[in-house]
Amino acid sequence: MNADFFAQMEAYLDGQLSRAELEAGARAAGINNVDAELAWLRQTRLAVEAEGLKQQLQQQFPSTGKREARVRSIWPRWAAAAAAVLVLAVAGWWWAHRSSVPELYAEYEFVDPGIPVLMSDTQDYELQNALSFYSEERYDEAIIRLEALRSDTPGNDTLIYYLGASYLYTGQTAAAAPLLENIADTDNSAFAQRAQWLRVLLALREKDREAAGKRAHTIADTPGHLFTREAQQLQEDLSTQ
Amino acid sequence: MTDQKLFEGIARKDDRAFQYVYQHYRQQIFHMVQQNSGNAEDAMDIFQEGLIALWSNIQTNRFELKDSARISTYLHTLCRNIWISRLRKKKPTQEVDGQINLAAREDTAAAIEQYEQTAALRKLLGQLKDSCRTLLQLFYYHGLSLALIAQRLDITEKTAKNNKYRCMQRLRTISKDTDL
């Protein structure tokens, strides 16, 4: 096979070339079994896309296995008393070395790598291009492109969410806040829960413990929230500082 | 969301469709895995792999919406069979069949076969150079044109086209070497 016939097969699979044209190309390239070649290409394209989809799903649904729930056991009283002494000693050390809020930001940071595809209502090429910059963590370039598109599609939740996230990741919290706010309060947006968590991170980044705690509390109290576990853990961390 | 809308959303890899599936159907899948030797991480992985299998079966027309075909049932069956397949790779067949209360359902046998082939190829992608993986992902997954990819990678469009071909051929060689 050569590059030209390969391109012809792609065009055929994409509906841009007829079977007769493909077979003519196959004869020219000396290919005998066109169907086998097509089957291989279909399968390979599917695998590349499936791998991309796996990454998309892993980011959309963070693994619950990363943070295991703390296990509590019931100890006899003497053990509890001994443990209390130990806890006091450890607490004293820990108070002196406790995590600061910025450290909590780093600990809880969720970098949403972006969905490189495909809006439900539109296949907007420019938006797709902007999001692919985002996926590569080239946030400054993503911001330029997303801002350029914003006036044309003011209600697009995908655009607003990723623009807000880009601002957050580049430390521009004032610009990020209203955008994330907008999406976090939009119940029917697929990005609402992630935006809610990013608002928590935004508060941590701004060293606003109170706002971070309040927002984490709301998430922790929402059944089935994507970030319930993280929010509960953060609440504990904030309350012990 | 109707099954029709869901079907279309999954076909497009739309986040919103996946979110809906997560909110409405994950529990029975998580329960099935966790009741049968799996932990929470296994359950999430199987849920994601089931979605990938469902998506790829929609792409290849192996799954079509009919009166009797519900997405939730089909997804559950896919997850169940993927989990069985994974358990069998870890343990002898008899032990799996005896230990867990799972029976593979034949109605997704072809779908699972398709999924397994795709999964094997996905593993091989890891053997490609980073530059190859990036190029293939930008083209097939992100759906960018060769012209845009060329701009992005600072190469000519012709080079992008040739490199894409070479990367696909490299993948083919690797898969032949591993008897896929």
Side-chain angles (χ1 to χ4, degrees), chain A residues 10 49 54 56 128 194, chain B residues 13 15 45 141-142 164:
Chain A
E10 298 248 58
E49 262 199 274
K54 176 71 179 182
Q56 177 183 333
Q128 214 163 312
R194 279 179 280 171
Chain B
K13 304 192 290 287
D15 250 9
D45 190 47
Y141 181 62
H142 294 253
K164 179 167 77 73

Side-chain angles (χ1 to χ4, degrees), chain A residues 23-64:
Chain A
E23 284 179 355
R27 279 193 296 278
I31 303 293
N32 296 321
N33 193 342
V34 177
D35 287 333
E37 296 294 334
L38 285 172
W40 164 78
L41 182 56
R42 264 194 210 100
Q43 185 73 36
T44 308
R45 283 164 47 136
L46 197 68
V48 175
E49 262 199 274
E51 192 55 21
L53 178 57
K54 176 71 179 182
Q55 289 165 16
Q56 177 183 333
L57 293 172
Q58 282 175 331
Q59 297 307 325
Q60 187 173 358
F61 308 116
S63 171
T64 53

Side-chain angles (χ1 to χ4, degrees), chain B residues 132-143:
Chain B
C132 259
R133 277 204 307 273
T134 302
L135 198 155
L136 295 182
Q137 288 277 310
L138 286 172
F139 188 80
Y140 291 114
Y141 181 62
H142 294 253

Side-chain angles (χ1 to χ4, degrees), chain B residues 82-148:
Chain B
I82 292 169
W83 182 231
I84 290 171
S85 163
R86 202 169 284 187
L87 284 175
R88 283 189 176 145
K89 282 176 189 160
K90 287 184 193 167
K91 299 173 182 179
T93 305
Q94 273 190 331
E95 192 184 333
V96 170
D97 291 342
Q99 184 187 341
I100 64 173
N101 184 25
L102 289 174
R105 292 183 184 166
E106 294 304 319
D107 52 354
T108 59
I112 293 296
E113 192 183 339
Q114 155 80 35
Y115 162 79
E116 299 277 7
Q117 285 172 359
T118 308
L121 260 174
R122 280 165 55 197
K123 271 192 185 165
L124 298 183
L125 283 168
Q127 295 184 33
L128 290 178
K129 285 182 182 169
D130 284 351
S131 55
C132 259
R133 277 204 307 273
T134 302
L135 198 155
L136 295 182
Q137 288 277 310
L138 286 172
F139 188 80
Y140 291 114
Y141 181 62
H142 294 253
L144 296 189
S145 68
L146 284 171
L148 269 176

Side-chain angles (χ1 to χ4, degrees), chain A residues 102-119:
Chain A
E103 283 169 351
L104 283 176
Y105 174 82
E107 190 179 333
Y108 286 93
E109 185 175 29
F110 164 66
V111 179
D112 187 332
I115 44 160
V117 278
L118 297 170
M119 311 308 112

Side-chain angles (χ1 to χ4, degrees), chain A residues 33-204:
Chain A
N33 193 342
V34 177
D35 287 333
E37 296 294 334
L38 285 172
W40 164 78
L41 182 56
R42 264 194 210 100
Q43 185 73 36
T44 308
R45 283 164 47 136
L46 197 68
V48 175
E49 262 199 274
E51 192 55 21
L53 178 57
K54 176 71 179 182
Q55 289 165 16
Q56 177 183 333
L57 293 172
Q58 282 175 331
Q59 297 307 325
Q60 187 173 358
F61 308 116
S63 171
T64 53
K66 283 179 186 164
R67 270 174 206 279
E68 292 300 333
R70 291 178 180 177
V71 178
R72 295 177 193 278
S73 58
I74 301 166
W75 287 13
R77 280 169 184 261
W78 64 266
V85 173
L86 183 64
V87 164
L88 282 174
V90 171
W93 177 89
W94 176 83
W95 181 253
H97 298 86
R98 67 192 187 278
S99 297
S100 67
V101 169
E103 283 169 351
L104 283 176
Y105 174 82
E107 190 179 333
Y108 286 93
E109 185 175 29
F110 164 66
V111 179
D112 187 332
I115 44 160
V117 278
L118 297 170
M119 311 308 112
S120 60
D121 304 315
T122 172
Q123 295 275 340
D124 190 326
Y125 203 62
E126 288 302 317
L127 181 54
Q128 214 163 312
N129 187 30
L131 289 178
S132 67
F133 276 100
Y134 176 96
S135 295
E136 291 175 14
E137 300 185 13
R138 293 160 71 173
Y139 301 122
D140 289 327
E141 289 160 279
I143 287 170
I144 293 167
R145 285 164 177 80
L146 290 169
E147 280 290 8
L149 293 170
R150 198 170 158 194
S151 54
D152 296 337
T153 48
N156 186 323
D157 64 341
T158 305
L159 188 154
I160 297 168
Y161 170 74
Y162 284 110
L163 183 56
S166 299
Y167 278 126
L168 174 65
Y169 298 145
T170 51
Q172 301 176 70
T173 50
L179 298 166
L180 295 175
E181 202 81 28
N182 179 332
I183 300 302
D185 294 338
T186 307
D187 289 339
N188 61 359
S189 170
F191 304 104
Q193 294 191 350
R194 279 179 280 171
Q196 286 157 12
W197 181 246
L198 291 189
R199 280 199 314 169
V200 174
L201 296 178
L202 190 146
L204 288 177

